[in-house]
Amino acid sequence: MLRFEDWFWGTPADPTAGVHVLHEHYQMGVTEIEELLAFLTQRKTAEEQYASKLTELSQLKPRADGFGKDESLLAQIFGNAKQEMANLGTCHKQAADQISQLIHPLQRFLDDNRKLSIVRKDKIDSTWKSLSGQRSELEGLVQDYKTKCSAADVEQRKFEQSRSEHDLPSMDVMISMGPRSFTVEDFNTLLLKMQREIRTQDVKSLWGSSKNCFSGDDALQYLRVKLHLDEEGAISMLSQMINEGFIRNIGRGHRFSTSSHYQWKRLSIENEPLHRKTRREAERADFEYRKAVEATEETRLFLESACWEYMNSLQHVETRRMEIFKESLLGLNNAEKSIIAGTRNVCERNQVYLETLSPAKEIEIMIESQRTGNVRLPPAVYHNYYGNSYRDPVFGVSLEDYAASRGRKVPLLVKKCLRAIEDTRQGATERGEGPEVDLWLEPNSNIPALHALRTDLNNSKASLKYLRRLPTSLIIGALKLYLIELPTSVCSDEIYEPLKLLYLSKADDFGPMRIASLRSLLATMPPPHYCTLRLLSEHWHKLIAQLDPEDPKISDFAQNLGHYVLRPRVHTQITLHDKHPVRMMKDLLLNHDKIFSLDEPLELPDPPDDGRSFRSVHISDLEDSEEEDIDETASTRALYDASSRVTGVTSGSSSERSMRTGYSLTLVGDNLSDRRASLSDRGDIDVFSGRVELA
């Protein structure tokens, strides 16, 4: 079943675009329920007044912002129901009493849902506004951070050069602060650590709201612990900081109090060497940059959670709206059955109309016609100026960048998640989670827990032992979230258009030919993409192998996970309706062994009548080493240089290989011995009779 949460995300420029579409549809739905409620109320009156009112009801025009705007099956059924009113000439009190029982559920639905979604929508809008401001501020902090780091490096080199030339002695000025004496550098270091480590918060008071405040008690305890001062000494030092303008009380008074809140006013002592000052400013800029990244990510995740909550709740509301719509008209139909025998034909026709209405199917139709896409807002990833990040993120990092920095063809996160899923598969059944196939198809139901696991995985805190203790559905959700947050999909977007050409025809007459072409195209992907796709496909293939080939769950599996595996580089309204990611996903599920075969050649069908013939394609030497400490980058390139081999005679030089991927594919036949296909930007692909020929 299609889900709002998969198809109504926005764009990086406006991540709430899908929410706006859903909200407009929701408002239309509320209007339709109001219209239906008004209709049933008037119908009750009409039943009480007999046929004189039935003719008027049959002529009611739909509202422009309700059923007049809706072209779905619901509007058609409702129109038919009104037309049948003209055929009812007489009514009696029993019918009116039955209709009265239908009005209360509709009114309760409106009372429960009319304001709730508006409040949630306002929260999403305000969060997006805050996130936009944070992202703009983050851009400025990044530039300030880089500038100050560069300046600090320059001043440090100048100082070291000057000291080597003139042999200058170190001159540290001593200052007294409370019961302690410090050098300027040591005191400035203390101030910087206090700014970083003392917890801050926003404080509201009679004078307004103050940001980045800390309590006097927190500052007192910090000095007592870090400087080993007694309470009197710590109070003396903080009081002197107030007098000399380093901190200020946000309330009234100039005496230090543990119950008051303070803000930083003066961040350092200025009379220190320039190289130390610039270095300290760079460290402070780094702290502000990191803090801004964390705040931006927190807001982004909150926005994503709010959007997910809105989409999930609205799908429930929409489903309930369609169910109550169906129930209401079914109740109306039952009331009409109590009318005289002459109205029996009207009831039978209405019954036929209503039996065609399926809320789940209507949800799918609505998604197909109004969906805005499945592109998530990309996560903010911290990039250290010197290249040695204080943490190594995984989510949002491309497979190739990950492989270059970690030396792994397949991200460790993917391996651990798949291993944990396999290890907990039996436990999942015992816990009542259902078969694993169903878990892949179910939506994520616990977003806070999923985001918490994402944070642990992103910070390399989730071991395999830890994952085995988690619900299988949560591990699957984290793996799906990792795949959807990849900058480029697992199946490289460079072959998105060639794959689209490959699946232009829906005919399966040349299934083996299509599989051979698919295998050749996948072999041109960079090693991290190829190996990661092969590992995921192997797991899914083993899972699907337990089902009957005609089981509808296989199609549902491909439909739900196709966009996780293959996405275009640029998303448009055209690519939104592309079907080949789903068809390719189904081929991977059913033909994994043939697509990723390392030893056996793939036998092609009989050649066409136009004189062209093909021999069996053989792709080998792609086995991924089980050892994780080998030089995977070098070994994989060596394997790929020999990977796309075709049984037969080959000719031509290696310079004909694609300048983009570094690898070439040669297809040899009786009349094609000297022809080559290089999967480059031109995409030299000839499509004929539902087949893809590399010409």
Side-chain angles (χ1 to χ4, degrees), residues 75-118:
Q76 298 176 25
I77 293 177
F78 181 61
N80 290 328
K82 288 200 301 181
Q83 293 174 8
E84 295 293 351
M85 300 301 166
N87 299 325
L88 299 177
T90 58
C91 305
H92 49 72
K93 188 67 171 62
Q94 181 180 1
D97 293 339
Q98 293 180 10
I99 294 176
S100 298
Q101 299 176 3
L102 304 176
I103 294 177
H104 180 67
L106 291 172
Q107 187 62 56
R108 185 171 64 248
F109 174 85
L110 290 174
D111 294 339
D112 292 342
N113 297 288
R114 182 182 283 116
K115 296 181 180 180
L116 180 61
S117 292
I118 296 177

mmCIF file of all heavy atoms in Angstrom, residues 75-118:
data_model
loop_
_atom_site.group_PDB
_atom_site.id
_atom_site.type_symbol
_atom_site.label_atom_id
_atom_site.label_comp_id
_atom_site.label_asym_id
_atom_site.label_seq_id
_atom_site.Cartn_x
_atom_site.Cartn_y
_atom_site.Cartn_z
ATOM 1 N N ALA A 75 -16.540 11.547 -5.561
ATOM 2 C CA ALA A 75 -17.417 12.557 -6.141
ATOM 3 C C ALA A 75 -18.418 11.927 -7.102
ATOM 4 O O ALA A 75 -19.589 12.336 -7.159
ATOM 5 C CB ALA A 75 -16.582 13.614 -6.856
ATOM 6 N N GLN A 76 -17.972 10.917 -7.852
ATOM 7 C CA GLN A 76 -18.882 10.260 -8.789
ATOM 8 C C GLN A 76 -20.002 9.527 -8.051
ATOM 9 O O GLN A 76 -21.180 9.588 -8.441
ATOM 10 C CB GLN A 76 -18.100 9.290 -9.667
ATOM 11 C CG GLN A 76 -17.027 9.948 -10.525
ATOM 12 C CD GLN A 76 -16.226 8.923 -11.293
ATOM 13 O OE1 GLN A 76 -16.688 7.832 -11.569
ATOM 14 N NE2 GLN A 76 -14.992 9.294 -11.656
ATOM 15 N N ILE A 77 -19.627 8.818 -6.974
ATOM 16 C CA ILE A 77 -20.646 8.086 -6.214
ATOM 17 C C ILE A 77 -21.634 9.049 -5.573
ATOM 18 O O ILE A 77 -22.851 8.823 -5.565
ATOM 19 C CB ILE A 77 -19.967 7.212 -5.146
ATOM 20 C CG1 ILE A 77 -19.150 6.102 -5.818
ATOM 21 C CG2 ILE A 77 -20.992 6.610 -4.205
ATOM 22 C CD1 ILE A 77 -18.396 5.238 -4.855
ATOM 23 N N PHE A 78 -21.096 10.152 -5.056
ATOM 24 C CA PHE A 78 -21.978 11.121 -4.423
ATOM 25 C C PHE A 78 -22.930 11.743 -5.449
ATOM 26 O O PHE A 78 -24.112 11.965 -5.180
ATOM 27 C CB PHE A 78 -21.138 12.203 -3.749
ATOM 28 C CG PHE A 78 -21.960 13.237 -3.033
ATOM 29 C CD1 PHE A 78 -22.793 12.891 -1.987
ATOM 30 C CD2 PHE A 78 -21.902 14.564 -3.427
ATOM 31 C CE1 PHE A 78 -23.548 13.845 -1.329
ATOM 32 C CE2 PHE A 78 -22.655 15.530 -2.776
ATOM 33 C CZ PHE A 78 -23.481 15.173 -1.720
ATOM 34 N N GLY A 79 -22.427 12.027 -6.639
ATOM 35 C CA GLY A 79 -23.292 12.563 -7.688
ATOM 36 C C GLY A 79 -24.392 11.589 -8.070
ATOM 37 O O GLY A 79 -25.555 11.987 -8.270
ATOM 38 N N ASN A 80 -24.021 10.316 -8.175
ATOM 39 C CA ASN A 80 -25.037 9.305 -8.488
ATOM 40 C C ASN A 80 -26.090 9.197 -7.387
ATOM 41 O O ASN A 80 -27.288 9.020 -7.657
ATOM 42 C CB ASN A 80 -24.384 7.950 -8.709
ATOM 43 C CG ASN A 80 -23.581 7.906 -9.990
ATOM 44 O OD1 ASN A 80 -23.915 8.564 -10.962
ATOM 45 N ND2 ASN A 80 -22.509 7.137 -9.997
ATOM 46 N N ALA A 81 -25.621 9.301 -6.141
ATOM 47 C CA ALA A 81 -26.560 9.209 -5.018
ATOM 48 C C ALA A 81 -27.573 10.347 -5.058
ATOM 49 O O ALA A 81 -28.770 10.148 -4.777
ATOM 50 C CB ALA A 81 -25.795 9.234 -3.706
ATOM 51 N N LYS A 82 -27.124 11.552 -5.416
ATOM 52 C CA LYS A 82 -28.056 12.678 -5.502
ATOM 53 C C LYS A 82 -29.037 12.516 -6.666
ATOM 54 O O LYS A 82 -30.224 12.853 -6.547
ATOM 55 C CB LYS A 82 -27.274 13.985 -5.663
ATOM 56 C CG LYS A 82 -26.550 14.412 -4.405
ATOM 57 C CD LYS A 82 -26.203 15.895 -4.439
ATOM 58 C CE LYS A 82 -25.332 16.231 -5.620
ATOM 59 N NZ LYS A 82 -24.985 17.681 -5.631
ATOM 60 N N GLN A 83 -28.551 11.988 -7.786
ATOM 61 C CA GLN A 83 -29.433 11.811 -8.941
ATOM 62 C C GLN A 83 -30.563 10.827 -8.654
ATOM 63 O O GLN A 83 -31.682 10.959 -9.173
ATOM 64 C CB GLN A 83 -28.623 11.343 -10.138
ATOM 65 C CG GLN A 83 -27.646 12.389 -10.668
ATOM 66 C CD GLN A 83 -26.758 11.840 -11.758
ATOM 67 O OE1 GLN A 83 -26.957 10.722 -12.229
ATOM 68 N NE2 GLN A 83 -25.776 12.633 -12.156
ATOM 69 N N GLU A 84 -30.238 9.844 -7.811
ATOM 70 C CA GLU A 84 -31.268 8.851 -7.504
ATOM 71 C C GLU A 84 -32.388 9.426 -6.644
ATOM 72 O O GLU A 84 -33.463 8.824 -6.534
ATOM 73 C CB GLU A 84 -30.642 7.657 -6.783
ATOM 74 C CG GLU A 84 -29.657 6.878 -7.626
ATOM 75 C CD GLU A 84 -30.317 6.154 -8.784
ATOM 76 O OE1 GLU A 84 -31.561 6.111 -8.842
ATOM 77 O OE2 GLU A 84 -29.578 5.628 -9.630
ATOM 78 N N MET A 85 -32.136 10.615 -6.040
ATOM 79 C CA MET A 85 -33.175 11.193 -5.193
ATOM 80 C C MET A 85 -34.448 11.527 -5.987
ATOM 81 O O MET A 85 -35.562 11.502 -5.450
ATOM 82 C CB MET A 85 -32.659 12.467 -4.513
ATOM 83 C CG MET A 85 -31.452 12.247 -3.629
ATOM 84 S SD MET A 85 -31.782 11.074 -2.330
ATOM 85 C CE MET A 85 -30.114 10.753 -1.791
ATOM 86 N N ALA A 86 -34.248 11.870 -7.269
ATOM 87 C CA ALA A 86 -35.416 12.228 -8.076
ATOM 88 C C ALA A 86 -36.347 11.049 -8.280
ATOM 89 O O ALA A 86 -37.546 11.232 -8.592
ATOM 90 C CB ALA A 86 -34.956 12.780 -9.418
ATOM 91 N N ASN A 87 -35.794 9.830 -8.150
ATOM 92 C CA ASN A 87 -36.609 8.631 -8.349
ATOM 93 C C ASN A 87 -37.403 8.240 -7.108
ATOM 94 O O ASN A 87 -38.225 7.317 -7.150
ATOM 95 C CB ASN A 87 -35.714 7.467 -8.768
ATOM 96 C CG ASN A 87 -35.005 7.744 -10.078
ATOM 97 O OD1 ASN A 87 -35.566 8.389 -10.963
ATOM 98 N ND2 ASN A 87 -33.779 7.268 -10.204
ATOM 99 N N LEU A 88 -37.105 8.874 -5.981
ATOM 100 C CA LEU A 88 -37.815 8.523 -4.745
ATOM 101 C C LEU A 88 -38.995 9.482 -4.572
ATOM 102 O O LEU A 88 -38.827 10.655 -4.267
ATOM 103 C CB LEU A 88 -36.874 8.626 -3.544
ATOM 104 C CG LEU A 88 -35.654 7.701 -3.584
ATOM 105 C CD1 LEU A 88 -34.764 7.938 -2.383
ATOM 106 C CD2 LEU A 88 -36.090 6.249 -3.639
ATOM 107 N N GLY A 89 -40.153 8.971 -4.760
ATOM 108 C CA GLY A 89 -41.353 9.831 -4.696
ATOM 109 C C GLY A 89 -41.965 9.912 -3.322
ATOM 110 O O GLY A 89 -42.655 10.881 -3.005
ATOM 111 N N THR A 90 -41.744 8.926 -2.513
ATOM 112 C CA THR A 90 -42.388 8.927 -1.189
ATOM 113 C C THR A 90 -41.398 8.449 -0.134
ATOM 114 O O THR A 90 -40.450 7.740 -0.395
ATOM 115 C CB THR A 90 -43.607 7.992 -1.180
ATOM 116 O OG1 THR A 90 -43.193 6.690 -1.541
ATOM 117 C CG2 THR A 90 -44.689 8.491 -2.133
ATOM 118 N N CYS A 91 -41.570 8.899 1.067
ATOM 119 C CA CYS A 91 -40.718 8.501 2.199
ATOM 120 C C CYS A 91 -41.604 8.312 3.420
ATOM 121 O O CYS A 91 -42.753 8.696 3.442
ATOM 122 C CB CYS A 91 -39.683 9.578 2.502
ATOM 123 S SG CYS A 91 -38.672 10.043 1.095
ATOM 124 N N HIS A 92 -41.097 7.777 4.498
ATOM 125 C CA HIS A 92 -41.842 7.671 5.750
ATOM 126 C C HIS A 92 -40.901 7.878 6.931
ATOM 127 O O HIS A 92 -39.686 8.024 6.784
ATOM 128 C CB HIS A 92 -42.608 6.346 5.868
ATOM 129 C CG HIS A 92 -41.763 5.147 5.546
ATOM 130 N ND1 HIS A 92 -40.772 4.697 6.370
ATOM 131 C CD2 HIS A 92 -41.805 4.317 4.470
ATOM 132 C CE1 HIS A 92 -40.221 3.623 5.828
ATOM 133 N NE2 HIS A 92 -40.836 3.376 4.672
ATOM 134 N N LYS A 93 -41.465 7.895 8.121
ATOM 135 C CA LYS A 93 -40.723 8.304 9.311
ATOM 136 C C LYS A 93 -39.574 7.362 9.641
ATOM 137 O O LYS A 93 -38.535 7.791 10.171
ATOM 138 C CB LYS A 93 -41.681 8.371 10.519
ATOM 139 C CG LYS A 93 -41.080 8.974 11.777
ATOM 140 C CD LYS A 93 -40.772 10.438 11.588
ATOM 141 C CE LYS A 93 -40.376 11.097 12.878
ATOM 142 N NZ LYS A 93 -39.173 10.583 13.489
ATOM 143 N N GLN A 94 -39.744 6.087 9.335
ATOM 144 C CA GLN A 94 -38.670 5.140 9.654
ATOM 145 C C GLN A 94 -37.380 5.490 8.919
ATOM 146 O O GLN A 94 -36.289 5.422 9.505
ATOM 147 C CB GLN A 94 -39.112 3.722 9.299
ATOM 148 C CG GLN A 94 -38.076 2.667 9.619
ATOM 149 C CD GLN A 94 -38.532 1.268 9.248
ATOM 150 O OE1 GLN A 94 -39.641 1.092 8.715
ATOM 151 N NE2 GLN A 94 -37.701 0.285 9.546
ATOM 152 N N ALA A 95 -37.508 5.892 7.652
ATOM 153 C CA ALA A 95 -36.321 6.284 6.898
ATOM 154 C C ALA A 95 -35.666 7.514 7.518
ATOM 155 O O ALA A 95 -34.437 7.617 7.603
ATOM 156 C CB ALA A 95 -36.691 6.553 5.447
ATOM 157 N N ALA A 96 -36.489 8.472 7.978
ATOM 158 C CA ALA A 96 -35.941 9.678 8.603
ATOM 159 C C ALA A 96 -35.196 9.336 9.891
ATOM 160 O O ALA A 96 -34.137 9.909 10.191
ATOM 161 C CB ALA A 96 -37.056 10.677 8.878
ATOM 162 N N ASP A 97 -35.724 8.397 10.698
ATOM 163 C CA ASP A 97 -35.047 7.999 11.941
ATOM 164 C C ASP A 97 -33.704 7.329 11.651
ATOM 165 O O ASP A 97 -32.725 7.539 12.377
ATOM 166 C CB ASP A 97 -35.944 7.052 12.732
ATOM 167 C CG ASP A 97 -37.201 7.742 13.248
ATOM 168 O OD1 ASP A 97 -37.173 8.990 13.343
ATOM 169 O OD2 ASP A 97 -38.190 7.040 13.541
ATOM 170 N N GLN A 98 -33.649 6.516 10.610
ATOM 171 C CA GLN A 98 -32.381 5.851 10.263
ATOM 172 C C GLN A 98 -31.333 6.863 9.799
ATOM 173 O O GLN A 98 -30.154 6.749 10.136
ATOM 174 C CB GLN A 98 -32.629 4.812 9.169
ATOM 175 C CG GLN A 98 -33.479 3.636 9.629
ATOM 176 C CD GLN A 98 -33.710 2.618 8.528
ATOM 177 O OE1 GLN A 98 -33.107 2.677 7.464
ATOM 178 N NE2 GLN A 98 -34.612 1.684 8.785
ATOM 179 N N ILE A 99 -31.751 7.858 9.059
ATOM 180 C CA ILE A 99 -30.801 8.876 8.599
ATOM 181 C C ILE A 99 -30.292 9.707 9.775
ATOM 182 O O ILE A 99 -29.132 10.146 9.783
ATOM 183 C CB ILE A 99 -31.467 9.768 7.528
ATOM 184 C CG1 ILE A 99 -31.759 8.934 6.284
ATOM 185 C CG2 ILE A 99 -30.587 10.948 7.163
ATOM 186 C CD1 ILE A 99 -32.508 9.679 5.207
ATOM 187 N N SER A 100 -31.116 9.908 10.772
ATOM 188 C CA SER A 100 -30.684 10.682 11.946
ATOM 189 C C SER A 100 -29.493 10.028 12.639
ATOM 190 O O SER A 100 -28.630 10.715 13.200
ATOM 191 C CB SER A 100 -31.857 10.818 12.938
ATOM 192 O OG SER A 100 -32.931 11.530 12.350
ATOM 193 N N GLN A 101 -29.435 8.710 12.590
ATOM 194 C CA GLN A 101 -28.322 8.002 13.228
ATOM 195 C C GLN A 101 -27.012 8.171 12.466
ATOM 196 O O GLN A 101 -25.942 7.907 13.022
ATOM 197 C CB GLN A 101 -28.664 6.516 13.346
ATOM 198 C CG GLN A 101 -29.890 6.237 14.194
ATOM 199 C CD GLN A 101 -30.260 4.769 14.204
ATOM 200 O OE1 GLN A 101 -29.574 3.927 13.625
ATOM 201 N NE2 GLN A 101 -31.370 4.449 14.857
ATOM 202 N N LEU A 102 -27.050 8.613 11.216
ATOM 203 C CA LEU A 102 -25.828 8.800 10.424
ATOM 204 C C LEU A 102 -25.194 10.169 10.641
ATOM 205 O O LEU A 102 -24.030 10.370 10.301
ATOM 206 C CB LEU A 102 -26.139 8.626 8.929
ATOM 207 C CG LEU A 102 -26.785 7.310 8.515
ATOM 208 C CD1 LEU A 102 -27.117 7.341 7.025
ATOM 209 C CD2 LEU A 102 -25.871 6.138 8.843
ATOM 210 N N ILE A 103 -25.941 11.109 11.167
ATOM 211 C CA ILE A 103 -25.450 12.483 11.280
ATOM 212 C C ILE A 103 -24.424 12.617 12.399
ATOM 213 O O ILE A 103 -23.407 13.313 12.248
ATOM 214 C CB ILE A 103 -26.637 13.438 11.504
ATOM 215 C CG1 ILE A 103 -27.528 13.446 10.257
ATOM 216 C CG2 ILE A 103 -26.150 14.853 11.825
ATOM 217 C CD1 ILE A 103 -28.772 14.298 10.397
ATOM 218 N N HIS A 104 -24.631 11.953 13.505
ATOM 219 C CA HIS A 104 -23.741 12.123 14.660
ATOM 220 C C HIS A 104 -22.295 11.708 14.370
ATOM 221 O O HIS A 104 -21.369 12.443 14.728
ATOM 222 C CB HIS A 104 -24.294 11.342 15.851
ATOM 223 C CG HIS A 104 -23.446 11.451 17.079
ATOM 224 N ND1 HIS A 104 -23.278 12.633 17.781
ATOM 225 C CD2 HIS A 104 -22.672 10.528 17.728
ATOM 226 C CE1 HIS A 104 -22.465 12.438 18.792
ATOM 227 N NE2 HIS A 104 -22.080 11.166 18.787
ATOM 228 N N PRO A 105 -22.037 10.545 13.731
ATOM 229 C CA PRO A 105 -20.631 10.198 13.435
ATOM 230 C C PRO A 105 -19.936 11.228 12.549
ATOM 231 O O PRO A 105 -18.741 11.513 12.743
ATOM 232 C CB PRO A 105 -20.744 8.839 12.725
ATOM 233 C CG PRO A 105 -22.039 8.279 13.191
ATOM 234 C CD PRO A 105 -22.941 9.445 13.355
ATOM 235 N N LEU A 106 -20.653 11.800 11.595
ATOM 236 C CA LEU A 106 -20.041 12.812 10.743
ATOM 237 C C LEU A 106 -19.693 14.066 11.530
ATOM 238 O O LEU A 106 -18.617 14.644 11.371
ATOM 239 C CB LEU A 106 -20.992 13.165 9.590
ATOM 240 C CG LEU A 106 -21.212 12.084 8.530
ATOM 241 C CD1 LEU A 106 -22.315 12.510 7.577
ATOM 242 C CD2 LEU A 106 -19.927 11.827 7.772
ATOM 243 N N GLN A 107 -20.595 14.480 12.386
ATOM 244 C CA GLN A 107 -20.328 15.678 13.191
ATOM 245 C C GLN A 107 -19.167 15.433 14.148
ATOM 246 O O GLN A 107 -18.323 16.319 14.363
ATOM 247 C CB GLN A 107 -21.594 16.053 13.978
ATOM 248 C CG GLN A 107 -21.477 17.386 14.713
ATOM 249 C CD GLN A 107 -21.266 18.542 13.758
ATOM 250 O OE1 GLN A 107 -22.053 18.757 12.848
ATOM 251 N NE2 GLN A 107 -20.196 19.294 13.960
ATOM 252 N N ARG A 108 -19.110 14.238 14.746
ATOM 253 C CA ARG A 108 -18.004 13.922 15.645
ATOM 254 C C ARG A 108 -16.676 13.901 14.891
ATOM 255 O O ARG A 108 -15.648 14.358 15.401
ATOM 256 C CB ARG A 108 -18.251 12.573 16.308
ATOM 257 C CG ARG A 108 -17.187 12.236 17.364
ATOM 258 C CD ARG A 108 -17.559 11.013 18.177
ATOM 259 N NE ARG A 108 -17.631 9.817 17.365
ATOM 260 C CZ ARG A 108 -18.755 9.162 17.105
ATOM 261 N NH1 ARG A 108 -19.918 9.610 17.574
ATOM 262 N NH2 ARG A 108 -18.742 8.066 16.358
ATOM 263 N N PHE A 109 -16.682 13.388 13.661
ATOM 264 C CA PHE A 109 -15.461 13.394 12.841
ATOM 265 C C PHE A 109 -14.978 14.820 12.597
ATOM 266 O O PHE A 109 -13.780 15.119 12.711
ATOM 267 C CB PHE A 109 -15.735 12.685 11.518
ATOM 268 C CG PHE A 109 -14.599 12.747 10.546
ATOM 269 C CD1 PHE A 109 -13.567 11.822 10.603
ATOM 270 C CD2 PHE A 109 -14.539 13.744 9.580
ATOM 271 C CE1 PHE A 109 -12.506 11.887 9.713
ATOM 272 C CE2 PHE A 109 -13.487 13.815 8.687
ATOM 273 C CZ PHE A 109 -12.473 12.884 8.748
ATOM 274 N N LEU A 110 -15.897 15.709 12.261
ATOM 275 C CA LEU A 110 -15.508 17.102 12.021
ATOM 276 C C LEU A 110 -14.989 17.762 13.289
ATOM 277 O O LEU A 110 -13.988 18.485 13.269
ATOM 278 C CB LEU A 110 -16.701 17.883 11.471
ATOM 279 C CG LEU A 110 -17.145 17.531 10.045
ATOM 280 C CD1 LEU A 110 -18.420 18.274 9.694
ATOM 281 C CD2 LEU A 110 -16.048 17.860 9.052
ATOM 282 N N ASP A 111 -15.633 17.525 14.417
ATOM 283 C CA ASP A 111 -15.193 18.128 15.680
ATOM 284 C C ASP A 111 -13.811 17.636 16.093
ATOM 285 O O ASP A 111 -13.008 18.394 16.644
ATOM 286 C CB ASP A 111 -16.203 17.817 16.785
ATOM 287 C CG ASP A 111 -17.561 18.485 16.537
ATOM 288 O OD1 ASP A 111 -17.591 19.466 15.766
ATOM 289 O OD2 ASP A 111 -18.563 18.019 17.103
ATOM 290 N N ASP A 112 -13.524 16.374 15.799
ATOM 291 C CA ASP A 112 -12.244 15.789 16.210
ATOM 292 C C ASP A 112 -11.094 16.219 15.315
ATOM 293 O O ASP A 112 -9.944 16.300 15.780
ATOM 294 C CB ASP A 112 -12.331 14.256 16.214
ATOM 295 C CG ASP A 112 -13.261 13.739 17.307
ATOM 296 O OD1 ASP A 112 -13.550 14.519 18.235
ATOM 297 O OD2 ASP A 112 -13.690 12.579 17.217
ATOM 298 N N ASN A 113 -11.365 16.493 14.061
ATOM 299 C CA ASN A 113 -10.274 16.673 13.094
ATOM 300 C C ASN A 113 -10.194 18.054 12.451
ATOM 301 O O ASN A 113 -9.201 18.350 11.785
ATOM 302 C CB ASN A 113 -10.408 15.629 11.975
ATOM 303 C CG ASN A 113 -10.280 14.217 12.482
ATOM 304 O OD1 ASN A 113 -9.204 13.766 12.840
ATOM 305 N ND2 ASN A 113 -11.401 13.509 12.519
ATOM 306 N N ARG A 114 -11.206 18.893 12.621
ATOM 307 C CA ARG A 114 -11.198 20.170 11.909
ATOM 308 C C ARG A 114 -10.027 21.050 12.342
ATOM 309 O O ARG A 114 -9.349 21.662 11.515
ATOM 310 C CB ARG A 114 -12.521 20.905 12.134
ATOM 311 C CG ARG A 114 -12.585 22.233 11.372
ATOM 312 C CD ARG A 114 -13.873 22.983 11.645
ATOM 313 N NE ARG A 114 -14.995 22.446 10.925
ATOM 314 C CZ ARG A 114 -16.067 21.885 11.466
ATOM 315 N NH1 ARG A 114 -16.135 21.762 12.783
ATOM 316 N NH2 ARG A 114 -17.057 21.436 10.721
ATOM 317 N N LYS A 115 -9.736 21.112 13.647
ATOM 318 C CA LYS A 115 -8.693 22.005 14.149
ATOM 319 C C LYS A 115 -7.352 21.317 14.350
ATOM 320 O O LYS A 115 -6.309 21.972 14.316
ATOM 321 C CB LYS A 115 -9.136 22.629 15.479
ATOM 322 C CG LYS A 115 -10.351 23.529 15.357
ATOM 323 C CD LYS A 115 -10.717 24.138 16.708
ATOM 324 C CE LYS A 115 -11.934 25.053 16.589
ATOM 325 N NZ LYS A 115 -12.301 25.639 17.902
ATOM 326 N N LEU A 116 -7.368 19.994 14.555
ATOM 327 C CA LEU A 116 -6.126 19.292 14.908
ATOM 328 C C LEU A 116 -5.080 19.417 13.814
ATOM 329 O O LEU A 116 -3.919 19.759 14.072
ATOM 330 C CB LEU A 116 -6.426 17.816 15.182
ATOM 331 C CG LEU A 116 -5.220 16.945 15.562
ATOM 332 C CD1 LEU A 116 -4.594 17.466 16.852
ATOM 333 C CD2 LEU A 116 -5.645 15.495 15.741
ATOM 334 N N SER A 117 -5.440 19.163 12.584
ATOM 335 C CA SER A 117 -4.469 19.222 11.495
ATOM 336 C C SER A 117 -3.991 20.634 11.236
ATOM 337 O O SER A 117 -2.856 20.853 10.816
ATOM 338 C CB SER A 117 -5.087 18.637 10.212
ATOM 339 O OG SER A 117 -5.298 17.257 10.353
ATOM 340 N N ILE A 118 -4.835 21.636 11.480
ATOM 341 C CA ILE A 118 -4.406 23.028 11.298
ATOM 342 C C ILE A 118 -3.321 23.376 12.296
ATOM 343 O O ILE A 118 -2.327 24.037 11.958
ATOM 344 C CB ILE A 118 -5.622 23.964 11.440
ATOM 345 C CG1 ILE A 118 -6.622 23.690 10.319
ATOM 346 C CG2 ILE A 118 -5.181 25.420 11.440
ATOM 347 C CD1 ILE A 118 -7.888 24.521 10.410
#
